[in-house]
Amino acid sequence: MTGALRRASASVLQRLGSSRAQASALGRQTRSGHDTAVHKNKYVEQWLSRREDIEREFRWTSKTLRDVVIGVLVIPVAMYNGIVWAAHTDDEYGERPVRDFLWAHAQPGERSS
């Protein structure tokens, strides 16, 4: 049976105009006459496998809790306050009434409608 398969594959290769060497090299890339096989970086492979298994490895620790609080609360509140401060500074410079945003930053007598 294997002899028949070899003969059939040889006839297919001849019909396609390919040599046996070309057929064996179909799975490999070659550039300028040298082989470009991929050399895997073991550190990248470890990192990728940890990314795939993160739900099994994750633990709430003081460091992860600190990172979540900073990323979810501190940074957005600081950005919001900076944007409101810039808007109020622009309002004062342009002699416009101070606007209220999400939180009332304006003085009680300075509120605009």
Side-chain angles (χ1 to χ4, degrees), residues 69-96:
V69 167
I70 289 172
V72 172
L73 295 175
V74 174
I75 291 174
V77 169
M79 287 180 63
Y80 172 79
N81 285 330
I83 292 168
V84 168
W85 174 81
H88 285 185
T89 303
D90 288 344
D91 288 343
E92 289 174 11
Y93 181 74
E95 299 175 354
R96 293 183 295 263

Short mmCIF file of all heavy atoms in Angstrom, two decimals, residues 69-96:
data_model
loop_
_atom_site.label_atom_id
_atom_site.label_comp_id
_atom_site.label_asym_id
_atom_site.label_seq_id
_atom_site.Cartn_x
_atom_site.Cartn_y
_atom_site.Cartn_z
N VAL A 69 -7.10 50.50 42.77
CA VAL A 69 -7.59 51.76 43.34
C VAL A 69 -6.97 52.95 42.60
O VAL A 69 -7.67 53.91 42.25
CB VAL A 69 -7.29 51.82 44.85
CG1 VAL A 69 -7.51 53.23 45.40
CG2 VAL A 69 -8.17 50.83 45.59
N ILE A 70 -5.68 52.88 42.33
CA ILE A 70 -5.03 53.97 41.60
C ILE A 70 -5.59 54.09 40.19
O ILE A 70 -5.90 55.19 39.73
CB ILE A 70 -3.50 53.77 41.59
CG1 ILE A 70 -2.93 54.02 42.97
CG2 ILE A 70 -2.84 54.68 40.56
CD1 ILE A 70 -1.48 53.68 43.12
N GLY A 71 -5.75 52.97 39.50
CA GLY A 71 -6.21 53.01 38.12
C GLY A 71 -7.67 53.36 37.96
O GLY A 71 -8.07 53.96 36.96
N VAL A 72 -8.50 52.97 38.93
CA VAL A 72 -9.94 53.18 38.79
C VAL A 72 -10.42 54.46 39.47
O VAL A 72 -11.36 55.09 38.99
CB VAL A 72 -10.70 51.95 39.35
CG1 VAL A 72 -12.19 52.18 39.40
CG2 VAL A 72 -10.38 50.72 38.52
N LEU A 73 -9.78 54.86 40.55
CA LEU A 73 -10.26 56.03 41.28
C LEU A 73 -9.32 57.24 41.19
O LEU A 73 -9.75 58.33 40.80
CB LEU A 73 -10.45 55.66 42.76
CG LEU A 73 -11.53 54.64 43.05
CD1 LEU A 73 -11.53 54.29 44.52
CD2 LEU A 73 -12.89 55.17 42.64
N VAL A 74 -8.08 57.08 41.55
CA VAL A 74 -7.18 58.23 41.70
C VAL A 74 -6.91 58.91 40.36
O VAL A 74 -7.04 60.14 40.24
CB VAL A 74 -5.87 57.79 42.39
CG1 VAL A 74 -4.87 58.91 42.43
CG2 VAL A 74 -6.16 57.28 43.79
N ILE A 75 -6.52 58.15 39.36
CA ILE A 75 -6.18 58.75 38.06
C ILE A 75 -7.38 59.44 37.41
O ILE A 75 -7.26 60.59 36.98
CB ILE A 75 -5.53 57.71 37.15
CG1 ILE A 75 -4.15 57.34 37.70
CG2 ILE A 75 -5.41 58.23 35.72
CD1 ILE A 75 -3.46 56.22 36.97
N PRO A 76 -8.56 58.81 37.33
CA PRO A 76 -9.69 59.52 36.71
C PRO A 76 -10.12 60.78 37.48
O PRO A 76 -10.43 61.80 36.87
CB PRO A 76 -10.82 58.48 36.71
CG PRO A 76 -10.15 57.18 36.75
CD PRO A 76 -8.91 57.39 37.56
N VAL A 77 -10.11 60.74 38.82
CA VAL A 77 -10.50 61.92 39.59
C VAL A 77 -9.47 63.03 39.40
O VAL A 77 -9.83 64.20 39.23
CB VAL A 77 -10.67 61.55 41.09
CG1 VAL A 77 -10.79 62.79 41.95
CG2 VAL A 77 -11.88 60.66 41.28
N ALA A 78 -8.19 62.69 39.38
CA ALA A 78 -7.15 63.70 39.16
C ALA A 78 -7.28 64.30 37.76
O ALA A 78 -7.13 65.53 37.60
CB ALA A 78 -5.78 63.07 39.35
N MET A 79 -7.55 63.49 36.77
CA MET A 79 -7.72 64.02 35.40
C MET A 79 -8.93 64.94 35.33
O MET A 79 -8.87 66.01 34.72
CB MET A 79 -7.86 62.87 34.41
CG MET A 79 -6.57 62.14 34.15
SD MET A 79 -6.75 60.79 32.99
CE MET A 79 -7.22 61.65 31.50
N TYR A 80 -10.05 64.53 35.94
CA TYR A 80 -11.25 65.36 35.93
C TYR A 80 -10.99 66.70 36.59
O TYR A 80 -11.35 67.76 36.05
CB TYR A 80 -12.40 64.63 36.63
CG TYR A 80 -13.61 65.50 36.81
CD1 TYR A 80 -14.48 65.74 35.74
CD2 TYR A 80 -13.87 66.14 38.01
CE1 TYR A 80 -15.58 66.55 35.89
CE2 TYR A 80 -14.96 66.95 38.17
CZ TYR A 80 -15.82 67.17 37.12
OH TYR A 80 -16.89 67.99 37.26
N ASN A 81 -10.35 66.67 37.76
CA ASN A 81 -10.08 67.93 38.47
C ASN A 81 -9.13 68.81 37.68
O ASN A 81 -9.29 70.04 37.67
CB ASN A 81 -9.52 67.64 39.86
CG ASN A 81 -10.61 67.17 40.81
OD1 ASN A 81 -11.76 67.55 40.68
ND2 ASN A 81 -10.23 66.32 41.74
N GLY A 82 -8.17 68.24 37.00
CA GLY A 82 -7.27 69.02 36.16
C GLY A 82 -8.00 69.67 35.00
O GLY A 82 -7.75 70.84 34.66
N ILE A 83 -8.90 68.94 34.37
CA ILE A 83 -9.68 69.49 33.25
C ILE A 83 -10.60 70.61 33.73
O ILE A 83 -10.72 71.67 33.08
CB ILE A 83 -10.46 68.37 32.55
CG1 ILE A 83 -9.48 67.42 31.84
CG2 ILE A 83 -11.49 68.93 31.58
CD1 ILE A 83 -10.11 66.13 31.36
N VAL A 84 -11.25 70.41 34.88
CA VAL A 84 -12.14 71.45 35.43
C VAL A 84 -11.33 72.69 35.80
O VAL A 84 -11.75 73.82 35.53
CB VAL A 84 -12.92 70.89 36.64
CG1 VAL A 84 -13.61 72.02 37.40
CG2 VAL A 84 -13.93 69.87 36.18
N TRP A 85 -10.15 72.48 36.40
CA TRP A 85 -9.30 73.63 36.75
C TRP A 85 -8.91 74.41 35.50
O TRP A 85 -8.94 75.64 35.48
CB TRP A 85 -8.04 73.13 37.48
CG TRP A 85 -7.07 74.22 37.73
CD1 TRP A 85 -7.11 75.14 38.74
CD2 TRP A 85 -5.93 74.54 36.92
NE1 TRP A 85 -6.04 76.01 38.63
CE2 TRP A 85 -5.30 75.66 37.52
CE3 TRP A 85 -5.38 73.99 35.78
CZ2 TRP A 85 -4.15 76.22 36.99
CZ3 TRP A 85 -4.23 74.56 35.26
CH2 TRP A 85 -3.64 75.66 35.86
N ALA A 86 -8.56 73.70 34.41
CA ALA A 86 -8.20 74.38 33.16
C ALA A 86 -9.39 75.14 32.59
O ALA A 86 -9.24 76.27 32.10
CB ALA A 86 -7.68 73.37 32.15
N ALA A 87 -10.58 74.55 32.67
CA ALA A 87 -11.77 75.24 32.15
C ALA A 87 -12.07 76.47 32.97
O ALA A 87 -12.41 77.54 32.41
CB ALA A 87 -12.96 74.28 32.14
N HIS A 88 -11.95 76.39 34.30
CA HIS A 88 -12.21 77.55 35.14
C HIS A 88 -11.18 78.64 34.91
O HIS A 88 -11.51 79.84 34.90
CB HIS A 88 -12.24 77.14 36.61
CG HIS A 88 -13.49 76.40 36.99
ND1 HIS A 88 -13.76 76.04 38.27
CD2 HIS A 88 -14.54 75.96 36.26
CE1 HIS A 88 -14.92 75.41 38.32
NE2 HIS A 88 -15.40 75.34 37.11
N THR A 89 -9.92 78.24 34.70
CA THR A 89 -8.88 79.22 34.40
C THR A 89 -9.17 79.93 33.09
O THR A 89 -9.03 81.16 32.98
CB THR A 89 -7.51 78.53 34.33
OG1 THR A 89 -7.29 77.85 35.57
CG2 THR A 89 -6.39 79.52 34.10
N ASP A 90 -9.62 79.17 32.10
CA ASP A 90 -9.98 79.79 30.81
C ASP A 90 -11.18 80.71 30.96
O ASP A 90 -11.24 81.77 30.31
CB ASP A 90 -10.30 78.71 29.78
CG ASP A 90 -9.07 77.98 29.31
OD1 ASP A 90 -7.95 78.48 29.53
OD2 ASP A 90 -9.22 76.89 28.72
N ASP A 91 -12.15 80.31 31.80
CA ASP A 91 -13.32 81.17 32.02
C ASP A 91 -12.91 82.49 32.68
O ASP A 91 -13.39 83.56 32.31
CB ASP A 91 -14.36 80.46 32.90
CG ASP A 91 -15.06 79.33 32.15
OD1 ASP A 91 -15.00 79.32 30.91
OD2 ASP A 91 -15.66 78.47 32.82
N GLU A 92 -12.02 82.40 33.66
CA GLU A 92 -11.57 83.63 34.32
C GLU A 92 -10.79 84.52 33.36
O GLU A 92 -10.97 85.72 33.34
CB GLU A 92 -10.69 83.28 35.52
CG GLU A 92 -11.45 82.69 36.69
CD GLU A 92 -10.51 82.22 37.79
OE1 GLU A 92 -9.31 82.55 37.74
OE2 GLU A 92 -10.99 81.51 38.69
N TYR A 93 -9.94 83.91 32.55
CA TYR A 93 -9.13 84.68 31.59
C TYR A 93 -10.02 85.33 30.54
O TYR A 93 -9.79 86.47 30.14
CB TYR A 93 -8.11 83.77 30.92
CG TYR A 93 -7.22 84.47 29.94
CD1 TYR A 93 -6.20 85.31 30.37
CD2 TYR A 93 -7.42 84.31 28.57
CE1 TYR A 93 -5.39 85.97 29.46
CE2 TYR A 93 -6.61 84.97 27.66
CZ TYR A 93 -5.60 85.79 28.10
OH TYR A 93 -4.80 86.43 27.21
N GLY A 94 -11.06 84.62 30.11
CA GLY A 94 -11.96 85.16 29.09
C GLY A 94 -13.09 85.98 29.68
O GLY A 94 -14.00 86.40 28.95
N GLU A 95 -13.07 86.21 31.00
CA GLU A 95 -14.08 87.00 31.70
C GLU A 95 -15.49 86.48 31.45
O GLU A 95 -16.44 87.22 31.23
CB GLU A 95 -13.96 88.48 31.33
CG GLU A 95 -12.62 89.07 31.70
CD GLU A 95 -12.46 90.50 31.23
OE1 GLU A 95 -13.36 91.01 30.51
OE2 GLU A 95 -11.45 91.12 31.58
N ARG A 96 -15.59 85.15 31.47
CA ARG A 96 -16.90 84.50 31.35
C ARG A 96 -17.33 84.02 32.73
O ARG A 96 -16.50 83.80 33.61
CB ARG A 96 -16.79 83.30 30.40
CG ARG A 96 -16.51 83.67 28.98
CD ARG A 96 -16.50 82.43 28.09
NE ARG A 96 -15.42 81.51 28.42
CZ ARG A 96 -14.25 81.48 27.79
NH1 ARG A 96 -14.01 82.32 26.79
NH2 ARG A 96 -13.33 80.61 28.13
#
